[in-house]
Amino acid sequence: MIKLLLIGVFKKHNVMIRAKITVVLGLAVLMACCQKPVEKSTNPIAEQLESVKGKGILFGHQDDLAYGMNWSYVDGESDVKRVAGDYPAMFGWELGGVELKNTHDLDSIPFQVMKDLVVKGYEMGGVNTFSWHPFSVINGENAWNTETDVVKHILQNGSHHKEFLVQLDRVADFLQSLKTGDGEVVPFIFRPWHEMDGTWFWWGAKNCTPDEFKELFRFSVDYLKNKKGLSQMLVAYSPDRNFTSLEEYLTWYPGDDVVDIIGMDNYYDLKMPDGEKEAIKKLHILIAYAKEKQKFSALTETGLENVTDSLWFTQKLGKVVSDSLVSKELSYVMVWRNDPKVHFFFPYENHSAATDAKSFLDQPEMLLLNDFNKLKKINN
Ligand code: BMA
């Protein structure tokens, strides 16, 4: 009798255990299916962008912490902060010159100082992104010299591949050195070979074929990530605005396995009458692609040179970011640098566009650093 009872209890438990195992296995399968690609969920920037998606668009500014219209290298300064009361949520930097072991980048920032400012930006909670306009290994000319074809010669079977590897090694050395005082690795976005659909860079449409371009892009990312171990990097693809369909947008696209951020640079549309509508249409194309591939989308560079229209921020860029799809899906918008000797893209204090730029940044869609940090906390 006791034996029978025990068998009964055991059987009953067995059924329950089996049922539990089935539920656990089922849940595991369900979770595995719904999970984002590994890379995306393990990169801290990807996690943060994911956590604020739909809640706001990060505002970025190139060289923001280094110099502005009436100042340079003053601790804590920022033209965005002076005008809008807070730092941008994203800090853009330029690597051009690092491949030559220059002490300063193309735009005169000492790399040692840049390193400190990148770490500072990271410790404040911001996201750092890097562009790179390398000098050519063929003739030593800058990125805007299109007299000589470069790309085919630096690919794996090209005559100058070895020299190109030296350039990549130096880029990797700098990016690897981005660590906090405690040795914590600083994650970042890398946005190489941008505006390739234009004809002004040696990697542009006039000087290489889409296949050569794709190979260059793929090789660069693979080398930096896999050979140099820069797994803290997200990669952005950003053609200029020369497309009207997804097919055209993807002409130079190097592949889903090497791109995390589906971007576009666009200055042109946003200086044309009604051009914001064009910009929105193009963003819709890349947003749809990013959604389909579970990637992020961004307006990687924009601005109006010298902000010659005092309402440009609310009437042009403001309209773009308040489009219902854009505001829900876009991860960031970045304007270019404020260099008093060359050009500026964000107003300085007392500039005729300053009030309007502040109103734009007060729009609910736009996130400055504090907004970004608060949202991240709520989500964590
Ligand atoms: C361009 C200009 C140049 C600069 C380059 C790389 O748009 O701002 O003066 O050298 O970007 O940052």
Side-chain angles (χ1 to χ4, degrees):
M1 179 68 184
I2 289 176
K3 205 176 162 189
L4 273 178
L5 260 178
L6 277 179
I7 289 172
V9 168
F10 178 72
K11 268 193 178 160
K12 197 175 155 203
H13 277 201
N14 217 7
V15 169
M16 281 168 69
I17 288 168
R18 260 195 257 149
K20 273 188 191 159
I21 290 174
T22 314
V23 169
V24 169
L25 278 179
L27 274 177
V29 169
L30 203 67
M31 279 166 73
C33 292
C34 301
Q35 250 172 12
K36 302 269 143 61
V38 176
E39 211 178 293
K40 197 172 161 189
S41 59
T42 52
N43 183 293
I45 296 178
E47 279 175 4
Q48 294 177 359
L49 295 184
E50 192 64 50
S51 73
V52 302
K53 201 184 232 173
K55 302 192 174 80
I57 299 170
L58 274 61
F59 183 70
H61 186 212
Q62 182 79 355
D63 289 348
D64 186 82
L65 298 172
Y67 57 83
M69 286 307 284
N70 303 304
W71 60 275
S72 51
Y73 310 110
V74 182
D75 191 30
E77 277 303 351
S78 147
D79 277 353
V80 172
K81 181 163 180 267
R82 282 185 174 194
V83 165
D86 191 15
Y87 295 102
M90 165 170 276
F91 302 105
W93 306 100
E94 165 59 29
L95 291 169
V98 83
E99 72 285 353
L100 300 179
K101 276 201 154 177
N102 287 352
T103 52
H104 294 60
D105 84 341
L106 283 182
D107 304 322
S108 309
I109 303 185
F111 283 110
Q112 277 303 328
V113 174
M114 188 189 295
K115 198 187 289 185
D116 291 345
L117 293 176
V118 167
V119 172
K120 185 183 167 133
Y122 170 67
E123 288 179 329
M124 292 196 301
V127 171
N128 288 290
T129 176
F130 292 93
S131 52
W132 183 34
H133 296 86
F135 287 82
S136 147
V137 291
I138 306 283
N139 55 13
E141 297 289 348
N142 70 26
W144 292 264
N145 186 306
T146 56
E147 273 157 34
T148 316
D149 289 347
V150 179
V151 175
K152 60 171 172 276
H153 299 300
I154 60 177
L155 296 177
Q156 260 169 316
N157 293 320
S159 55
H160 287 66
H161 184 62
K162 271 202 192 119
E163 288 85 340
F164 180 53
L165 289 187
V166 173
Q167 291 199 329
L168 284 178
D169 286 343
R170 290 175 179 162
V171 168
D173 285 348
F174 179 78
L175 294 173
Q176 268 158 355
S177 75
L178 301 172
K179 290 187 180 150
T180 66
D182 302 336
E184 193 189 328
V185 167
V186 175
F188 60 87
I189 296 170
F190 185 46
R191 188 172 62 94
W193 316 125
H194 71 133
E195 297 174 12
M196 76 304 285
D197 54 332
T199 51
W200 45 88
F201 293 133
W202 54 249
W203 57 86
K206 177 172 153 251
N207 295 83
C208 66
T209 65
D211 281 347
E212 286 166 348
F213 178 85
K214 289 178 200 172
E215 197 181 327
L216 173 69
F217 200 113
R218 294 185 64 79
F219 181 85
S220 310
V221 173
D222 178 60
Y223 191 80
L224 294 176
K225 264 203 179 158
N226 302 327
K227 184 96 179 174
K228 294 289 169 175
L230 288 161
S231 56
Q232 67 272 39
M233 168 171 98
L234 289 184
V235 176
Y237 166 72
S238 57
D240 200 36
R241 44 87 213 169
N242 300 300
F243 60 93
T244 51
S245 66
L246 177 62
E247 202 188 346
E248 280 174 357
Y249 176 77
L250 295 177
T251 308
W252 308 86
Y253 187 66
D256 292 331
D257 56 336
V258 290
V259 173
D260 306 284
I261 294 157
I262 306 296
M264 160 177 80
D265 288 4
N266 196 341
Y267 294 86
Y268 180 84
D269 287 336
L270 291 180
K271 67 180 177 207
M272 302 312 277
D274 274 346
E276 65 279 7
K277 292 185 186 131
E278 281 302 304
I280 290 171
K281 267 193 227 158
K282 291 170 192 177
L283 286 175
H284 284 187
I285 292 174
L286 52 107
I287 283 171
Y289 189 74
K291 274 184 85 170
E292 182 194 331
K293 301 289 179 174
Q294 291 192 297
K295 295 183 183 294
F296 300 104
S297 55
L299 181 49
T300 40
E301 261 188 57
T302 188
L304 177 67
E305 193 172 33
N306 299 334
V307 205
T308 48
D309 169 359
S310 62
L311 295 179
W312 184 84
F313 274 92
T314 56
Q315 298 310 305
K316 292 286 185 179
L317 195 52
K319 287 193 174 149
V320 172
V321 298
S322 53
D323 170 79
S324 59
L325 184 67
V326 172
S327 64
K328 214 169 86 202
E329 294 292 337
L330 204 73
S331 289
Y332 62 88
V333 163
M334 193 175 82
V335 297
W336 208 237
R337 62 203 197 96
N338 277 12
D339 183 337
K341 288 194 225 88
V342 186
H343 50 193
F344 63 96
F345 293 84
F346 192 83
Y348 45 91
E349 271 178 312
N350 300 323
H351 182 271
S352 59
T355 318
D356 184 67
K358 182 170 174 5
S359 304
F360 161 75
L361 290 171
D362 286 341
Q363 284 185 208
E365 298 85 13
M366 295 312 301
L367 304 179
L368 289 171
L369 190 63
N370 276 323
D371 311 317
F372 182 43
N373 283 336
K374 276 189 215 142
L375 277 175
K376 281 188 284 181
K377 276 191 199 128
I378 293 169
N379 281 300
N380 281 343

